[in-house]
Amino acid sequence: MYSFSIDRGGTFTDCFCTLPDGRVRVLKLLSEDPERYADAPREAIRRVLEEETGRRLPREDKLDTSLIEEIRMGTTVATNALLEHRGERCALLITRGFKDLLLIGNQSRPDIFDLRIAKPEVPCALVLEVDERVVLEQEGLGAPAGYPQPSTSSEAETVVGITGQRLVVEEPLDDEQVRQALRVAKDEGLRSIAVCLMHSYAFADHERRIKDVATEMGFEHISLSCEVAPMVKIVPRATTTCVDAYLTPVLQRYVESFRSGFSDLSKTKVHFMQSDGGLIPAEGFMGHRSILSGPAGGVVGYAICGERDLQDAPRVSEAFTASGDAKVQPIIGFDMGGTSTDVSRYEGSFEHVFETRTANQIIYGAQLDVNTVAAGGGSRLFYKDGIFKVGPQSAGAHPGPICYRKNGFLTVTDANLVLGRILPQYFPKIFGPDENEALDAEGARAALSSLTDAINEEGRRLSGSSYTDKTVDEVAMGFITVANEAMCRPVRNLTTMRGFDVTTHALSCFGGAGPQHCCGIAKNLGIQKVLIDVHAGILSAVGIAKADVVYEFQEAASATLESAAPDLAESLVEKAANLGDKGARKLLDAGIPPDAINLELFLNLRYQGTDTAIMTSMAAGDEARVRNAQDLRELLQSGVSARFVSAFKASYQREFGFDLENRAINVDDVRVRAIGKSMGSSPAPADGRGASPKAPVADAVHSAFFAETGRVDVPVYKLEAIDVGSSLSGPCIVVQNISTIVVEPHCRAFMLPSRSIAIEVAAEKKQLRDEARPRGLTASSLDPILLSIFSHRFMSIAEQMGKVLQRTSISVNIKERLDFSCAVFDKTGGLVANAPHLPVHLGAMPSAVRFQAKYWGEKLRPGDVLMSNHPQLAGGSHLPDITVITPVFDETGTGILFFVASRGHHADVGGIAPGSMPPDSTTIEDEGAAIVAFKLVEGGAFQDAGARRLLLAPGEREGNSGARKVEDNISDLKAQVAANQRGVHLMRALMEEYGLDTVQDYMLYIQDNAERSVRRMLHDFSLNRGMAERDRVAAEDYMDDGTRIALEVTISRNGGPTETSAVFDFSATDPEVVGNTNAPPAVTASAVIYCLRCLLPASDLPLNQGCLNPVEIITRPGTLLNPSPSAAVVGGNVLTSQRVTDVVLRTFEACAASQGCMGNLTFGDDALGYYETIAGGAGAGPGWHGASGVHTHMTNTRITDPEILETHFPVILRAFGLRTGSGGLGRWRGGDGCT
């Protein structure tokens, strides 16, 4: 019998077939070729059967299934439907008051510098509100003793929910009102609905009643959030449910279409791959579980095959011998396709995440942790603003790269072809108008040659005689280097940012383009072990062949885990046993024998008072197979509570860098993963190694270019002609029918018993980098390739700092709302690079760094870390934003090389109101602890006592308070120190790799590049407006109290576009006010640098000091924008900063004003505090409407989910939505605000 495993990708469909005699057939064909066949997977099956049986099987006939035992398939059908907006039109039914919840989302915008905000499209055509309301009974659920309970009717029914929590049915469901709403949907022609009600994860009765009504009315598909994603947080739960209603009908139609091409599939097992890496029978395949259907197969494939190859590799290379203390060799999966690259990690078990974003839609549910970057073989190549850029635009399959002979675009594939890393003579001749020509190497070289001329022309203009012209090969290699650097960033996200050492991993490269880049990626990351599977070109299909059948069941819970109590609460045991029974029965019904069933239990755990949950399995020691509910119940009654606590604490420590002692652990969800072990999941038997392998004989010699060697002739080997145990020294190329492997210099390849390739990358990264340095580069010369590389690296360092801060902080503001920023600065305090955090922080931080450098002068020593927050005196924004600055010294300890800094919004720093955001403050003393300069760490010692003294100092004043949760402040300050230290470590590694002089030079070059772009923008604006060579533009606006903000911008074009400059003069702004809307100068600088960056809309330039170099900012002392040192300023950061931004953008006629505020809401007392910034409307621009319900300009924090708000605070949220029409009318409408 034949068994087929098929991965239907966006460009190609891969088929892995096991024949009746045990042999394997592989096949790759285009996913879309309508002139030849209607369905690629069915065509693959037809071709194999026709060739193997010798019988002609006409395409128009149904395929005979008598020879087919099983068909397994991964597909991008649902993913493509989501990306291309081709899903089923559906309606969402939601609790009244929340109809706009999906439009608002988490209120953040995807690109902070794009004034034309592109919000994700809501995956439903219609939203209908339902009259019903269930609220949590507040007692003991976050409300401090003595707080009044929310008012509810005395007749309201109290129920016990799925979680065990008590809930109040404040408003029962009105079935007739539901029918009326559903009639509206039906009249609109909708046949699929999604239902998501407040707190339905705990109380599902209302959703199920709506399903009953909808079924009676004939709706064809009904997705309930209590079934699709039964977890707290209504926003992602509602989005996921809508995605399911949008995609599942599409999948069902595809499955039926696929089945229709066969005579009878009733006796053939048909399974589809899910996002969690498990198979499921076709009838159970659901939209929201199919998003990673194809990539999931690749993860399973490299995990199983990689484990096998790592066991075999030491037999042929000592470099692959595992270290003595390593239990399992961790593997990074690197799946490089045509349009994108998927990166994942495996260490003995599959890593799942439960909240992901795909096509800008938040998806709840178990998915393999796969990070995607828009860089692949088809990624287009650009040279802009002096920088090499790869993607994110893709040439696609049509027209494709230039070498496809379809008038396509210049791509990574073209660069590889020009460099000799793709060999046309070994590639199928399927190109050109008649699909019978080879790849067009000449066309690719001609296109790159034209681009090279343009690059050299600009290089000579900018650098003069110091510039060395680049060859076509060097430009092509530059783009490959930049692409590799871009693809390394998600690898670092999965490893370094989560506390794993990337250099201890093996790298498994697969996909159509992965083996061409494997050595370059490994060198960049410092990885020395690379694996290329024998089926690397179709490894996703191989993984599907080896995957298990999996059913996932999950249910919300509300319980506490106690390490002192040996047993789990009985409610958790019963919940787990019931879920396990469901899973086992599903597997038995799918034909899985009882002895092949295994049940895995997970508890979703979090520390009380935090929102960060970790899905936790028991610590090692439970390897015994759990086959049914009874086995599971017995295991859970054997004292496992402490093991869950231990596993959770270990995970928390690794993920966040600290542990929370003496704090209860809450159980939010119980999850059971029911696994039916696949017969195909065991590694294939390996070929025996010959006693003395023959020396490999090259099939050809080919000219190829490498950065270390230049262009050289390299041997080309056919994979099938290489004996097991043979080794190949790089540079060389290994070809097979479905992939090309490039073995670079300083690498050595070995043939493994499985006929996979293992590659040893032996040289040190610094040696490789020195040899790969672009020709003619000196310490003082600018190279556009290295400019691109350093742009990526500096940005990556700031991102990793931010990840450490988010991981190690304790406050909700930093960890959940992401109210923080991290950045790298040069030795003068100039901003070099920042992660895309909060604009109001980023422009102000250079002022803080420069003040501290001047204040301390020669008193700074290695091991010192500085703290400040004073807005008027020390470059702060407002007092809750504390900046932690780390200077980094040279080897002598006397000269500062650079600074790193982090600024975080602390939950409370004292003052007259909880949260330190008092609406009625009149002096800065009212707003909390004001710190001008303090050594938070001195000589390596954390100054705990001194920090506490400063934070508690406001309490010495009558009517004032010190920091109300000083322990949390100290914890967050330590997190900022840790984030900075991460930045220091990464910067030192960068200097070790490239040399101090080069790193410091490129800190300046990146700023120079931004400066040129801003000067050019000012020059073009002046010309387009018809302004004189030195001329002025002006704008003004008013605060709600009538205070005037006035700006006059004088632009001088003297010297042409490279010398154009501007003066931003705010002198005519009104005097400072008695209230707190005064804004310190650093906030105005933030607004100006943000606006300048926004006025470069098509640029990828990072925000840095260069944006301000052409500009002089003038603010008059004593005015609203340069207040006295004692003035209150807390509102200036969150309100006035937005008004200043509106005035600057009005001056340049870029867009209309936005909401003009960050929408601050705060309440609390000494025991409880809540702080939020709430979205509003964005201003319209020339050619676009403003976005509604989104954070604009100087902020971009996330909002607390309504269900989390009601769970942790003694409040009920009655409504949260858009204020329709509030954005104003016009040809281009403003975005609506929120209520």
Side-chain angles (χ1 to χ4, degrees):
M1 299 286 281
Y2 292 81
S3 293
F4 293 90
S5 297
I6 301 170
D7 173 32
R8 186 191 187 280
T11 304
F12 290 104
T13 291
D14 301 330
C15 176
F16 180 88
C17 176
T18 303
L19 306 179
D21 60 5
R23 289 182 298 117
V24 167
R25 279 285 308 269
V26 299
L27 182 66
K28 182 184 285 282
L29 67 162
L30 290 171
S31 293
E32 298 288 344
D33 197 347
E35 294 182 0
R36 298 186 179 186
Y37 45 80
D39 182 72
R42 198 162 62 235
E43 172 67 9
I45 294 172
R46 189 197 67 79
R47 289 186 187 182
V48 171
L49 291 177
E50 186 174 74
E51 291 173 14
E52 289 296 324
T53 63
R55 293 186 299 170
R56 182 175 177 275
L57 300 175
R59 289 193 176 101
E60 61 273 16
D61 291 354
K62 291 181 181 291
L63 286 174
D64 180 10
T65 58
S66 61
L67 298 177
I68 303 175
E69 179 180 1
E70 184 175 20
I71 300 172
R72 298 176 165 208
M73 189 150 55
T75 177
T76 58
V77 167
T79 310
N80 292 341
L82 189 60
L83 290 170
E84 298 166 10
H85 311 296
R86 293 189 291 104
E88 178 80 6
R89 294 179 69 243
C90 61
L92 168 66
L93 276 69
I94 197 167
T95 303
R96 184 167 300 282
F98 299 95
K99 68 181 177 65
D100 298 319
L101 212 52
L102 266 63
L103 284 168
I104 299 170
N106 66 9
Q107 78 181 6
S108 67
R109 62 192 189 277
D111 183 345
I112 60 174
F113 301 123
D114 191 350
L115 298 175
R116 186 175 186 171
I117 299 171
K119 295 191 68 177
E121 290 193 22
V122 175
C124 56
L126 181 66
V127 180
L128 301 166
E129 292 183 298
V130 175
D131 292 332
E132 69 86 44
R133 192 61 161 100
V134 175
V135 299
L136 296 170
E137 195 174 68
Q138 293 282 333
E139 189 68 39
L141 292 178
Y147 265 79
Q149 299 302 308
S151 174
T152 57
S153 168
S154 59
E155 299 179 0
E157 179 187 8
T158 300
V159 297
V160 177
I162 298 166
T163 61
Q165 294 167 288
R166 293 174 62 83
L167 302 99
V168 178
V169 182
E170 191 179 62
E171 182 177 4
L173 183 71
D174 183 342
D175 288 8
E176 184 53 39
Q177 189 265 332
V178 169
R179 286 190 180 88
Q180 292 174 8
L182 289 173
R183 286 191 195 102
V184 174
K186 212 158 192 187
D187 291 343
E188 290 287 326
L190 306 182
R191 295 296 178 266
S192 178
I193 64 168
V195 184
C196 187
L197 307 179
M198 280 287 286
H199 298 296
S200 61
Y201 66 92
F203 180 76
D205 291 19
H206 287 178
E207 286 194 1
R208 293 199 170 103
R209 280 172 54 190
I210 292 175
K211 182 176 183 178
D212 291 341
V213 174
T215 302
E216 291 175 9
M217 295 180 66
F219 282 89
E220 296 170 4
H221 180 81
I222 305 162
S223 295
L224 303 184
S225 78
C226 63
E227 297 172 352
V228 170
M231 300 174 75
V232 68
K233 291 187 182 178
I234 188 172
V235 173
R237 195 171 73 250
T239 303
T240 305
T241 308
C242 283
V243 167
D244 189 70
Y246 185 72
L247 296 181
T248 298
V250 175
L251 280 180
Q252 290 172 342
R253 285 195 293 270
Y254 175 73
V255 170
E256 287 307 309
S257 173
F258 177 74
R259 287 180 179 274
S260 69
F262 296 87
S263 59
D264 180 13
L265 281 176
S266 61
K267 296 182 180 179
T268 300
K269 289 182 286 186
V270 180
H271 290 91
F272 279 83
M273 193 67 170
Q274 301 181 105
S275 299
D276 64 357
L279 296 164
I280 195 166
E283 55 272 17
F285 197 35
M286 298 175 66
H288 75 290
R289 292 184 177 273
S290 67
I291 304 298
L292 294 181
S293 179
V299 176
V300 175
Y302 86 74
I304 293 173
C305 298
E307 281 190 332
R308 173 201 65 205
D309 290 338
L310 285 172
Q311 292 173 4
D312 290 338
R315 297 163 55 190
V316 296
S317 171
E318 293 183 359
F320 279 79
T321 302
S323 58
D325 57 348
K327 296 180 180 179
V328 178
Q329 170 76 65
I331 308 173
I332 293 166
F334 184 84
D335 180 4
M336 184 177 177
T339 58
S340 62
T341 297
D342 295 321
V343 173
S344 55
R345 181 179 181 276
Y346 178 80
E347 190 175 5
S349 60
F350 296 115
E351 297 184 356
H352 292 99
V353 290
F354 298 88
E355 185 174 330
T356 57
R357 183 177 289 273
T358 302
N360 284 322
Q361 301 295 337
I362 299 174
I363 308 294
Y364 245 1
Q367 294 189 18
L368 289 172
D369 193 358
V370 177
N371 286 13
T372 300
V373 60
S379 294
R380 294 175 59 187
L381 309 181
F382 303 93
Y383 177 74
K384 187 172 184 180
D385 297 324
I387 289 179
F388 280 46
K389 180 186 172 188
V390 178
Q393 298 92 332
S394 173
H398 302 284
I402 285 175
C403 62
Y404 279 16
R405 300 179 184 270
K406 297 179 182 178
N407 298 315
F409 301 99
L410 195 60
T411 67
V412 170
T413 297
D414 292 306
N416 275 319
L417 179 61
V418 168
L419 293 171
R421 294 167 176 238
I422 296 175
L423 287 64
Q425 62 268 38
Y426 293 95
F427 218 84
K429 294 184 178 181
I430 57 173
F431 304 101
D434 297 324
E435 299 183 343
N436 61 353
E437 296 181 72
L439 288 167
D440 184 7
E442 291 77 14
R445 177 167 284 276
L448 268 169
S449 178
S450 177
L451 182 58
T452 300
D453 290 342
I455 292 170
N456 287 333
E457 182 180 348
E458 180 167 331
R460 289 190 294 269
R461 180 174 58 82
L462 293 177
S463 301
S465 59
S466 66
Y467 180 79
T468 301
D469 276 3
K470 294 193 173 297
T471 66
V472 173
D473 283 341
E474 288 169 338
V475 169
M477 190 69 239
F479 279 113
I480 296 300
T481 303
V482 171
N484 286 348
E485 186 60 44
M487 292 183 290
C488 284
R489 285 173 73 173
V491 177
R492 296 186 182 106
N493 291 344
L494 275 176
T495 54
T496 307
M497 285 192 185
R498 295 180 52 206
F500 298 112
D501 182 356
V502 66
T503 64
T504 64
H505 293 66
L507 181 69
S508 176
C509 290
F510 55 103
Q516 297 159 31
H517 292 253
C518 58
C519 294
I521 295 294
K523 290 174 183 178
N524 276 11
L525 295 169
I527 291 173
Q528 294 184 326
K529 302 174 184 179
V530 177
L531 299 173
I532 310 292
D533 192 79
V534 63
H535 296 303
I538 61 162
L539 197 57
S540 289
V542 174
I544 291 170
K546 298 178 180 298
D548 299 324
V549 178
V550 175
Y551 284 91
E552 287 254 0
F553 292 96
Q554 185 168 316
E555 209 170 84
S558 180
T560 301
L561 208 59
E562 300 287 349
S563 56
D567 295 329
L568 293 178
E570 185 60 30
S571 62
L572 294 178
V573 173
E574 285 305 310
K575 195 180 292 283
N578 290 337
L579 296 177
D581 186 56
K582 285 184 183 179
R585 290 181 182 277
K586 283 284 189 182
L587 290 173
L588 292 171
D589 292 342
I592 304 297
D595 60 355
I597 292 175
N598 188 36
L599 304 180
E600 295 180 352
L601 174 66
F602 300 82
L603 299 181
N604 202 24
L605 305 177
R606 62 176 173 85
Y607 279 116
Q608 193 172 68
T610 71
D611 287 337
T612 306
I614 297 177
M615 195 65 75
T616 308
S617 61
M618 284 184 289
D622 6 290
E623 289 82 2
R625 182 68 60 83
V626 178
R627 291 185 172 86
N628 52 49
Q630 185 58 36
D631 289 348
L632 186 58
R633 183 179 283 105
E634 291 175 1
L635 176 64
L636 298 180
Q637 291 174 338
S638 62
V640 298
S641 182
R643 287 157 70 182
F644 272 107
V645 170
S646 175
F648 170 70
K649 284 180 169 290
S651 295
Y652 201 93
Q653 178 72 43
R654 178 182 57 75
E655 284 283 334
F656 305 122
F658 65 97
D659 193 19
L660 297 177
E661 300 293 340
N662 304 316
R663 192 174 291 207
I665 298 173
N666 290 348
V667 183
D668 284 346
D669 304 276
V670 177
R671 169 186 168 224
V672 171
R673 186 171 170 84
I675 301 171
K677 301 303 289 185
S678 170
M679 297 302 293
S681 62
S682 300
D687 295 341
R689 177 182 176 180
S692 54
K694 297 177 183 178
V697 177
D699 185 69
V701 175
H702 185 74
S703 175
F705 182 92
F706 298 92
E708 298 91 337
T709 64
R711 185 162 286 275
V712 293
D713 288 337
V714 300
V716 179
Y717 301 95
K718 285 189 174 182
L719 183 76
E720 60 268 25
I722 304 173
D723 284 354
V724 172
S726 295
S727 64
L728 307 168
S729 295
C732 67
I733 295 175
V734 180
V735 296
Q736 59 177 145
N737 61 341
I738 51 177
S739 64
T740 300
I741 303 168
V742 177
V743 184
E744 295 189 6
H746 302 293
C747 300
R748 191 170 183 80
F750 302 88
M751 176 61 75
L752 300 178
S754 63
R755 303 208 58 78
S756 297
I757 294 286
I759 301 176
E760 174 190 346
V761 182
E764 293 294 326
K765 283 179 69 181
K766 188 176 187 304
Q767 174 192 343
L768 296 172
R769 194 63 74 181
D770 289 342
E771 294 184 8
R773 187 179 299 274
R775 179 176 54 86
L777 178 67
T778 65
S780 60
S781 63
L782 169 63
D783 182 85
I785 299 170
L786 282 182
L787 187 66
S788 306
I789 296 300
F790 276 105
S791 293
H792 277 288
R793 293 297 288 274
F794 288 142
M795 181 75 76
S796 177
I797 289 169
E799 287 175 348
Q800 291 189 59
M801 289 174 63
K803 187 66 175 179
V804 170
L805 179 53
Q806 184 184 3
R807 283 174 48 216
T808 57
S809 63
I810 191 172
S811 69
V812 171
N813 281 339
I814 296 176
K815 186 178 288 293
E816 302 297 330
R817 295 181 57 249
L818 308 186
D819 196 345
F820 66 85
S821 296
C822 297
V824 177
F825 304 82
D826 63 28
K827 60 184 178 182
T828 71
L831 178 64
V832 174
N834 60 272
H837 294 144
L838 298 188
V840 74
H841 291 167
L842 298 169
M845 288 171 73
S847 300
V849 174
R850 286 172 167 165
F851 174 85
Q852 295 300 318
K854 182 178 180 180
Y855 179 92
W856 294 102
E858 296 182 357
K859 295 179 182 179
L860 289 177
R861 297 288 183 271
D864 290 349
V865 180
L866 313 174
M867 174 177 75
S868 74
N869 70 342
H870 201 296
Q872 291 94 309
L873 300 180
S877 41
H878 61 176
L879 295 183
D881 288 342
I882 299 180
T883 306
V884 174
I885 303 164
T886 303
V888 181
F889 289 81
D890 59 21
E891 294 179 356
T892 67
T894 58
I896 292 177
L897 302 177
F898 59 88
F899 296 88
V900 294
S902 55
R903 177 171 288 186
H905 186 112
H906 285 240
D908 188 285
V909 292
I912 61 175
S916 305
M917 296 286 293
D920 54 350
S921 58
T922 56
T923 70
I924 197 166
E925 289 184 344
D926 295 339
E927 297 172 356
I931 303 163
V932 175
F934 175 67
K935 286 190 177 182
L936 181 63
V937 179
E938 187 167 13
F942 188 85
Q943 302 300 301
D944 187 282
R948 290 174 187 271
R949 184 172 60 254
L950 289 170
L951 289 165
L952 294 173
E956 298 173 3
R957 296 187 292 272
E958 185 177 354
N960 217 322
S961 170
R964 293 165 178 83
K965 291 190 175 182
V966 71
E967 295 298 334
D968 287 0
N969 293 117
I970 295 299
S971 293
D972 283 347
L973 288 172
K974 289 181 177 179
Q976 289 180 258
V977 172
N980 287 6
Q981 190 56 38
R982 182 63 189 162
V984 171
H985 171 76
L986 293 171
M987 284 295 295
R988 288 200 180 279
L990 193 63
M991 290 189 295
E992 175 67 21
E993 190 175 338
Y994 285 94
L996 171 61
D997 290 343
T998 301
V999 172
Q1000 289 190 321
D1001 283 343
Y1002 276 88
M1003 283 185 164
L1004 299 179
Y1005 290 149
I1006 284 174
Q1007 295 177 48
D1008 291 344
N1009 197 39
E1011 179 180 337
R1012 285 194 298 271
S1013 296
V1014 171
R1015 290 189 188 277
R1016 192 181 307 118
M1017 179 274 295
L1018 292 170
H1019 178 270
D1020 293 346
F1021 172 79
S1022 174
L1023 284 178
N1024 293 336
R1025 280 286 301 267
M1027 296 170 64
E1029 190 170 277
R1030 180 180 174 84
D1031 209 343
R1032 302 174 181 178
V1033 288
E1036 65 180 17
D1037 206 343
Y1038 295 84
M1039 304 285 286
D1040 288 351
D1041 64 1
T1043 303
R1044 176 174 179 247
I1045 299 175
L1047 170 63
E1048 183 179 83
V1049 178
T1050 302
I1051 300 176
S1052 173
R1053 296 201 308 271
N1054 293 336
T1058 60
E1059 300 297 329
T1060 300
S1061 61
V1063 176
F1064 283 63
D1065 190 350
F1066 292 91
S1067 297
T1069 297
D1070 282 352
E1072 68 180 72
V1073 298
V1074 176
N1076 59 28
T1077 55
N1078 304 292
V1083 169
T1084 299
S1086 288
V1088 171
I1089 192 174
Y1090 164 78
C1091 291
L1092 290 172
R1093 177 60 185 81
C1094 288
L1095 294 172
L1096 302 169
S1099 174
D1100 285 329
L1101 285 171
L1103 181 73
N1104 62 52
Q1105 197 65 40
C1107 294
L1108 277 183
N1109 286 348
V1111 169
E1112 178 187 359
I1113 301 173
I1114 299 174
T1115 56
R1116 184 164 50 88
T1119 62
L1120 185 75
L1121 304 184
N1122 192 349
S1124 60
S1126 62
V1129 296
V1130 70
N1133 183 70
V1134 298
L1135 196 161
T1136 311
S1137 66
Q1138 297 284 60
R1139 306 302 298 126
V1140 172
T1141 303
D1142 285 338
V1143 171
V1144 175
L1145 293 173
R1146 174 181 290 186
T1147 304
F1148 285 88
E1149 299 181 348
C1151 65
S1154 295
Q1155 74 179 106
C1157 181
M1158 295 184 189
N1160 290 77
L1161 171 66
T1162 183
F1163 61 80
D1165 61 9
D1166 289 346
L1168 176 147
Y1170 174 78
Y1171 171 69
E1172 196 80 81
T1173 56
I1174 301 173
W1184 76 84
H1185 301 297
S1188 300
V1190 66
H1191 259 330
T1192 58
H1193 299 322
M1194 304 302 283
T1195 187
N1196 202 34
T1197 58
R1198 278 57 169 166
I1199 196 166
T1200 305
D1201 187 272
E1203 289 179 346
I1204 295 294
L1205 175 68
E1206 293 191 354
T1207 300
H1208 293 330
F1209 297 94
V1211 296
I1212 294 176
L1213 183 63
R1214 294 300 181 190
F1216 181 41
L1218 300 179
R1219 187 181 173 203
T1220 304
S1222 61
L1225 299 176
R1227 180 180 179 186
W1228 306 109
R1229 299 184 304 276
D1232 291 337
C1234 294
T1235 58

